[in-house]
Amino acid sequence: TTKAGQVLSWQILNLETGKWVDILYQGSSQKRSGIPILFPFANPLKNNILKYSGKEITQHGFGRNSVWKLGKNTEKIAEISLNYKDIDQKFQEIYPFKFETTIEVELLEHSKIKYTLKVINLEPEKPLPIAPGIHPYFSLLHDFKKNIKANLKPDIQDINWEKNMDGNFRDFPEIAEFGLKDYSLKIYNNKQNMTKNLVIWSQNKSKEDYDFICLEPFTRDTNGINEDPIWVNKEWKTDWVFKAVLK
């Protein structure tokens, strides 16, 4: 089993120096590290209420607070799953749907990983609403953030990295490209099941953790599970591919 369904580390070997480079930020806690899962929805809900039960739930749902079961585990693929029976009883009451969610992370090549998220509705006669996302933390010195180059719209040059910030929503193109300090990064959006948003978030030096940038695929807008959910009748699946090239 694994707590939180989270990718903790991704390193790339610098072939010139022989040293491993952390692509994912390693923060002061697990909460501020790696790639947390946001399931069954991302961001806070309006008044923190999930309309299908009328009950209150905190932001990002329960996926990152649940215990996932380890499945396939090889040199190149790791798979974990979460069944509705295994979530806390209070969450079963808040989210009254029968599901199984699987995360598969695959190493495609030296500098590329594929993150696949699959949701199965175990009660097909009752459509299942979701609006998930993921929350990758990428290593980046705070003072370089103003120099990031990206192909997003709107452009990210309007972000004030010194202020406390909420998530900045940007349209997620088919391939999002970023020029960071120590490496360039591409995030590939699934062509058949395009993710709507790429959300940008970070912290400043008033916080314990700040040498990172979060580039977060969100399938829907904030409160999307209430207002514009993805309805899963039998099965839904999407993936995001990350490629980092060291400079």
Side-chain angles (χ1 to χ4, degrees):
T1 59
T2 174
K3 181 68 182 293
Q6 183 170 346
V7 179
L8 293 179
S9 176
W10 175 28
Q11 296 179 319
I12 293 179
L13 180 64
N14 186 320
L15 298 178
E16 294 183 359
T17 65
K19 295 182 178 180
W20 291 93
V21 177
D22 279 308
I23 301 301
L24 297 179
Y25 178 69
Q26 302 299 299
S28 60
S29 67
Q30 183 170 316
K31 181 180 179 181
R32 290 283 179 256
S33 304
I35 308 179
I37 176 68
L38 313 179
F39 181 85
F41 61 88
N43 255 13
L45 303 182
K46 184 177 180 180
N47 299 321
N48 294 320
I49 297 296
L50 184 68
K51 75 174 189 179
Y52 308 101
S53 62
K55 296 181 181 293
E56 186 172 338
I57 185 171
T58 56
Q59 74 169 358
H60 300 328
F62 50 76
R64 61 182 183 159
N65 300 314
S66 299
V67 177
W68 297 61
K69 292 181 179 178
L70 182 63
K72 186 186 302 183
N73 187 22
T74 69
E75 287 187 357
K76 291 191 174 183
I77 296 177
E79 181 185 270
I80 55 175
S81 63
L82 179 67
N83 188 282
Y84 77 96
K85 294 179 181 179
D86 298 324
I87 65 176
D88 191 282
Q89 180 64 38
K90 70 175 182 180
F91 290 127
Q92 292 185 40
E93 295 173 1
I94 295 169
Y95 187 70
F97 301 95
K98 297 180 179 180
F99 67 90
E100 181 157 293
T101 302
T102 301
I103 295 170
E104 181 184 273
V105 180
E106 180 180 5
L107 180 65
L108 297 178
E109 55 188 56
H110 168 67
S111 61
K112 185 184 286 188
I113 60 172
K114 181 179 181 181
Y115 185 110
T116 301
L117 180 64
K118 182 172 71 172
V119 181
I120 298 174
N121 185 353
L122 300 177
E123 199 174 19
E125 65 276 9
K126 182 181 180 182
L128 176 120
I130 59 171
I134 56 175
H135 201 300
Y137 285 78
F138 294 99
S139 296
L140 180 67
L141 293 175
H142 179 74
D143 291 339
F144 188 84
K145 292 171 188 174
K146 62 182 180 294
N147 299 320
I148 298 171
K149 304 298 182 184
N151 67 334
L152 299 184
K153 297 179 180 179
D155 192 275
I156 67 171
Q157 297 303 315
D158 63 339
I159 296 176
N160 186 339
W161 301 100
E162 304 307 325
K163 289 186 176 181
N164 291 329
M165 60 186 294
D166 295 323
N168 283 261
F169 281 69
R170 296 294 189 269
D171 294 335
F172 194 169
E174 187 174 318
I175 303 175
E177 301 182 42
F178 301 89
L180 306 181
K181 185 178 187 298
D182 298 316
Y183 58 92
S184 61
L185 178 72
K186 292 184 179 181
I187 307 176
Y188 297 79
N189 203 347
N190 183 297
K191 292 181 181 180
Q192 292 182 322
N193 199 357
M194 293 285 284
T195 297
K196 183 176 182 179
N197 301 304
L198 193 65
V199 180
I200 302 169
W201 180 76
S202 192
Q203 296 187 141
N204 58 38
K205 291 183 178 180
S206 69
K207 307 293 184 180
E208 185 173 7
D209 294 291
Y210 53 82
D211 282 331
F212 69 83
I213 182 173
C214 287
L215 304 170
E216 311 165 30
F218 278 23
T219 56
R220 288 293 188 266
D221 296 334
T222 298
N223 203 44
I225 194 171
N226 284 333
E227 298 177 349
D228 180 32
I230 297 168
W231 289 106
V232 181
N233 293 310
K234 293 183 180 179
E235 179 180 308
W236 174 88
K237 182 169 71 173
T238 197
D239 61 68
W240 305 284
V241 174
F242 302 90
K243 182 175 182 178
V245 178
L246 299 180
K247 294 181 177 178

